[in-house]
Amino acid sequence: MLGVDETIVQQFEEKWQSNAGKLLHINHREELEDLILDLSAADAFKEKPIVVGGSLGQWEWIRTWNPEKVSIWSPGDDPEVFRHQCANASLGITGCAWAAADAGSVCLYSQKDSSLLPSLLPPIHVVLIAKDQIVLSFHEGMGKLYQDAHDQGLWPSLVKIVAGPSMTADIEGQLILGVHGPRDIYAVIIDDSIGIQPN
Amino acid sequence: MAGQLPFDERPWPERRDAALQNQTMRHTIGFVTRRFTLVKQEVYRANPDIEASRTVAVGQKRKAIHDLPELLERFRTQVEEHGGHTYLAARAEDAVDIALNIARTNQVKSVIKSKSMVTEEIELNQAFGKEGIAVRETDLGEYIIQLAHEKPSHILAPAVHRNRHQVADLFQEDAAQKKIAPPHSDDIEDLTRYARERLRQEFLQADMGVTGGNFLVAETGTLVLITNEGNADMVTSLPPVLVSIVGVEKMVENWTSLQEIIQQPAMSGIGRHLSSYTTMIHAPKSSGSAEGPEQWHVILVDNGRMALRGTKFEDVLSCIRCGACLNVCPVFREVGGHAYGSVYPGPIGIVETPLLTDFQILPELPSKLCTLCHACQEACPMDISLPQHIVSLRHIVIKRHLNSGMVGWTLKTWARFWGTASGYRRSISLARVMQRFYGKRRNASGLIPGMFAGWGQTREIPQVAPQTFHEWWQDRNQKGE
């Protein structure tokens, strides 16, 4: 994790929390496993309470970790089935393409190997962020999105930027979380990527 | 070509009185608009770099409006290259016809919709309703007013005129009709929970989604949507057919322009760096993907907008619908959105409504609903010259004789008297005579002619003095001689 500017990480954390997002640091794979089980514990009786958006990078191990509890999107899967699983899940997990410190936001791409539905339909969304994915400004992140699309010669058909839980102040101006999207959104910042890798 | 906008046919005094008597609305609208204004000031103070972005964004947006025909072509080419379909609708009814055709072709029975002012403008829901297609508004505020058969009272907070008890009644009624469990209580949390459960099923079953759009990017063919609730994400990722209906003026030239402007709606509207969700649509679903529409149609709506290019009012096309001008307007804070009688309320509404329709509807707005305090000018992140436009529109109203006969007569009479010193003196002597004629009433309301009569109903008009200063001065000099 050389070259990661800790002040940027810190700024992201402060801004994310001021946007009503929740924050956790993970050092080891076991901590993430515990967290996922804790957050989905209330619905432990459900069949596959956890849905994962795919394209996991260094968190690929989640795929084989707990097949009874977890459904993961893979290219070629039946979208109807996955949508149904997401609609019934209690916890959705995704990675992200980048996060912006000044806006406290994360950016997710919808591509063949990654789905946005786990970030939308379940009441809790966990987004996994490696420290080196955090850029200083939203402006810079948008530049990265443009660059990524050019490098790959392909734009993601949908791009979603999340800066806090789903919220509304439509009744009497009172702020309520979790209208249509998730009520709780956890940014999990991976402190030590080596510890996460399966050995 | 002039556009068409729906409007409230009640005359202004009726709309005004209804608004002033609605204490719930006035209380909430006062609270919400003041809070939005405060948080906006705070976020700009804390982030000086955003001001630099804003200035750049204004310049680029003006240029985009100038180059609009060319940018529209570029945008359409891009979207169609990615597999989307685009349409240019000259008038409101054309946009509705195009959307209806898409629905018919796909045998659509149910539609879910995220918040869009332009679909209010073209009265899309009514047209779909007549065709027997159910349209469900999914923004919580829009859903509430849809149940109440009302129009939005604020462009960001459409149901701000209703309190929790009134919302609970609507939801109870809805639950009884649908034979589902009603909200647990009239606690706002419970009401929101009810709407979440109720609308979730409609999201998952709908045949077609309809969105508006906050920005269109000509270079990349991207449509940007901004929401806080996440409903636009549902609409863009779940139904198989997506129709985006967007005003042509939402165009920016390229990605760099989008980078400068994309945070302005949230910054100026709700005082945050970003709303909770910013969604960008680039293409329909590619095969093998988990979500997104199989068909994506973009209807670009003119409806009176293109005709404003090249006029002195061109800058109104830069509006990003952030609501900042509504929030600071002392008139809006008192009467709320419904009193304007237009889809677009507040300072931008009183400018846009007559301009888009070439004064065919509500020509009284610039004269009746503005005090020329200039607060909107200061608040507008896109530097639109709202007060100057309001004055110009007043000139046009006079020149085109769009005022009622009574207003014209009163102003002319007033000008005849007070245009000269002798006329002024004559008017004072006349007022003194009238005052004697009406007796020794404290309140001189009976003296006030024509359109000014309303003043006397709410104010105590002082009595005309027995002697003016000029008369006293003359007397004193004569006595002194």
Side-chain angles (χ1 to χ4, degrees), chain A residues 11 15 18-20 73-77 79-80 82-84 86-88 98 100 102-105 107 109-124 137-147 150 154-183 185, chain B residues 28 31-32 35-36 43 47 49 53 82 138-142 144 156-160 162-165 167 171 187-189 191-193 195-197 199-200 203-205 219-220 222 228-231 233-234 236-240 255-256 258-260 262-263 272-293:
Chain A
Q11 197 194 343
K15 197 67 205 174
S18 78
N19 288 345
W73 171 255
S74 305
D77 284 356
E80 277 302 314
F82 188 66
R83 175 207 280 209
H84 184 75
C86 289
N88 291 305
W98 48 271
D102 68 343
S105 63
C107 183
Y109 300 166
S110 166
Q111 283 164 323
K112 276 187 189 171
D113 56 355
S114 63
S115 163
L116 300 179
L117 296 178
S119 71
L120 182 65
L121 294 173
I124 306 174
S137 69
F138 181 70
H139 196 276
E140 191 183 331
M142 287 285 286
K144 183 176 155 45
L145 165 54
Y146 186 79
Q147 200 54 49
H150 267 252
L154 182 71
W155 281 83
S157 54
L158 289 170
V159 172
K160 174 177 176 180
I161 293 146
V162 182
S166 162
M167 58 176 75
T168 183
D170 274 353
I171 306 178
E172 295 185 17
Q174 185 179 311
L175 191 72
I176 301 285
L177 302 184
V179 201
H180 296 303
R183 177 197 168 90
I185 169 156
Chain B
T28 322
F31 166 72
V32 170
R35 198 185 55 192
F36 279 150
V43 78
N47 300 276
D49 49 322
S53 253
H82 308 151
T138 61
D139 172 87
L140 179 60
E142 290 278 348
I144 294 168
L156 295 187
V160 75
R162 289 195 159 255
N163 66 23
R164 67 186 79 188
H165 311 295
V167 174
F171 286 4
D187 189 64
I188 297 176
E189 186 92 40
L191 296 173
T192 310
R193 206 65 54 230
R196 180 187 168 101
E197 300 299 322
L199 294 174
R200 182 55 75 93
F203 277 127
L204 292 167
Q205 288 157 8
E219 179 198 7
T220 57
T222 309
N228 278 306
E229 298 182 4
N231 54 327
D233 291 79
M234 300 275 186
T236 53
S237 46
L238 299 174
W255 199 257
T256 321
L258 179 68
Q259 276 173 285
E260 303 296 348
I262 193 168
Q263 290 178 272
R272 290 177 61 194
H273 268 269
L274 283 173
S275 291
S276 288
Y277 297 98
T278 305
T279 313
M280 300 180 196
I281 313 163
H282 202 74
K285 170 182 176 169
S286 50
S287 73
S289 289
E291 67 258 311

Side-chain angles (χ1 to χ4, degrees), chain A residues 39-112:
Chain A
L39 289 177
S40 59
D43 291 313
F45 58 90
K46 263 193 196 170
E47 195 186 333
K48 300 207 179 193
I50 302 159
V51 283
V52 182
S55 192
L56 288 159
Q58 57 183 310
W59 305 294
E60 246 343 282
W61 56 266
I62 295 179
R63 245 175 233 288
T64 49
W65 161 62
N66 199 341
E68 300 90 67
K69 288 202 177 291
V70 183
S71 336
I72 303 190
W73 171 255
S74 305
D77 284 356
D78 183 346
E80 277 302 314
V81 172
F82 188 66
R83 175 207 280 209
H84 184 75
Q85 287 166 337
C86 289
N88 291 305
S90 23
L91 174 66
I93 303 173
T94 68
C96 71
W98 48 271
D102 68 343
S105 63
V106 294
C107 183
L108 280 56
Y109 300 166
S110 166
Q111 283 164 323
K112 276 187 189 171

